[in-house]
Amino acid sequence: YTVLDLEYVAKTEFWSRMNFGISSLLPIFLSIVFANLLPRDLYGSFRYLMSIAGAFGFLISSGLDGAILRAAARVYDSAFQYAVQRHLRTDFIFFLSMSVFSVFYAINGNAVFSISLLVLGLTAPFFFAFRSYRAYLMGKGKKRLSLIYSVSANLIYILAMVIALFVTDSIIAIVCTYALSKIFSTFLFYKKTLRVFKSSSEKKLDKGIKKILRKAEYLSVMDIFTTISLYIDKILVFHFLGPVQLAVYSLAVLIPERLRTYSRKFLGFI
């Protein structure tokens, strides 16, 4: 028979929900800071750039995180670093896609958008690769530690963004701060995770696990329409109504979108 450890299930579920809840609240706080410190036209332009990057998110191998979680649970610890390497290789196509948009805006004389999109294209693959530490910790059953690391990384990023918003209103500087602070904070806890979980008892990474990881790279492509639908409205608002209207629209839909995500996560509503 199977014995269900209800105390363990309750604790892990608690930390999972805490992680999701805090991760949902921090962007709301940062958006309020943006709205108060940055002119609406600049904030709208920033949201537009983020929406373009987000719409191409299906090119990021997000499916690897689930494979890392399962491999870590089975004590295939080396799958973590192997998956990070795969992330950096396969996510190169995201950089190429963003480079196309960067060249387009450069040809049309918009150096700000061109440089910003190039920065996002260069840095996003590293961010998502290093962020895999969260899936690894979840697989090891360290959900509390995953929460602590995740919140700490977000606080570093938010602090950097708040400082940048007080110092400058340059879109390029803000995008660079966004990208570099994301990479720095995730890399910091990625390296810390590697130091904490050095283990000599791990299983050797076999061909079967490698095959699973390689297949997982393409799972995110299956969500292409879902991913694009999350951002297409903001892209259209920017093009047809302008950056100021996009800033207003982004703030108006921020909380409803978060509540909808929350309900899907915990209540099963649509």
Side-chain angles (χ1 to χ4, degrees):
Y1 60 92
T2 302
V3 178
L4 181 63
D5 190 339
L6 294 178
E7 182 180 359
Y8 173 78
V9 171
K11 284 183 178 180
T12 54
E13 185 65 17
F14 169 77
W15 290 116
S16 294
R17 297 195 177 198
M18 279 287 291
N19 196 351
F20 182 82
I22 294 175
S23 298
S24 298
L25 290 174
L26 289 178
I28 295 177
F29 167 77
L30 187 59
S31 294
I32 294 173
V33 174
F34 263 105
N36 284 276
L37 298 180
L38 203 62
R40 284 188 294 178
D41 59 330
L42 296 181
Y43 178 56
S45 296
F46 177 79
R47 292 311 317 167
Y48 171 68
L49 294 169
M50 294 298 107
S51 296
I52 291 180
F56 282 92
F58 64 89
L59 297 175
I60 297 291
S61 304
S62 57
L64 278 170
D65 286 352
I68 293 171
L69 190 152
R70 291 190 294 272
R74 295 168 60 185
V75 204
Y76 287 103
D77 291 355
S78 55
F80 176 34
Q81 294 189 64
Y82 177 79
V84 168
Q85 295 171 5
R86 298 295 304 181
H87 244 303
L88 295 174
R89 292 175 188 171
T90 57
D91 293 353
F92 182 70
I93 190 172
F94 175 84
F95 165 68
L96 292 179
S97 300
M98 296 296 285
S99 297
V100 171
F101 274 85
S102 176
V103 171
F104 169 79
Y105 279 109
I107 293 174
N108 285 276
N110 194 330
V112 173
F113 280 17
S114 177
I115 295 172
S116 298
L117 290 172
L118 189 62
V119 169
L120 293 173
L122 278 169
T123 55
F126 291 95
F127 165 69
F128 284 102
F130 297 144
R131 198 184 67 167
S132 299
Y133 76 83
R134 299 196 304 185
Y136 176 75
L137 291 175
M138 297 286 278
K140 301 295 288 184
K142 303 295 182 180
K143 294 188 176 183
R144 178 175 177 271
L145 188 60
S146 176
L147 170 66
I148 293 172
Y149 283 6
S150 178
V151 171
S152 299
N154 279 322
L155 289 176
I156 292 173
Y157 147 67
I158 288 176
L159 178 61
M161 290 298 292
V162 170
I163 293 173
L165 290 171
F166 271 108
V167 172
T168 181
D169 59 0
S170 166
I171 290 295
I172 295 177
I174 292 172
V175 169
C176 287
T177 301
Y178 168 87
L180 295 177
S181 62
K182 283 276 192 178
I183 290 180
F184 171 76
S185 59
T186 50
F187 179 74
L188 180 67
F189 292 102
Y190 161 73
K191 295 296 289 185
K192 190 172 180 62
T193 300
L194 291 179
R195 289 195 299 269
V196 171
F197 288 95
K198 282 184 178 179
S199 174
S200 58
S201 61
E202 67 176 42
K203 298 178 184 178
K204 185 177 180 181
L205 194 62
D206 57 32
K207 292 183 179 179
I209 296 297
K210 288 184 178 180
K211 185 177 181 180
I212 292 173
L213 290 170
R214 286 194 294 269
K215 286 184 176 181
E217 295 170 4
Y218 307 103
L219 292 177
S220 58
V221 180
M222 298 173 64
D223 294 327
I224 176 173
F225 296 111
T226 301
T227 303
I228 293 176
S229 68
L230 294 174
Y231 301 97
I232 190 65
D233 56 336
K234 299 175 181 65
I235 293 173
L236 293 175
V237 168
F238 179 87
H239 277 287
F240 289 105
L241 299 178
V244 174
Q245 286 73 19
L246 175 57
V248 175
Y249 175 78
S250 297
L251 291 171
V253 301
L254 178 63
I255 294 179
E257 284 182 346
R258 292 291 167 179
L259 289 176
R260 187 178 185 185
T261 303
Y262 183 88
S263 64
R264 283 179 172 176
K265 177 75 174 178
F266 299 126
L267 305 178
F269 296 159
I270 295 178

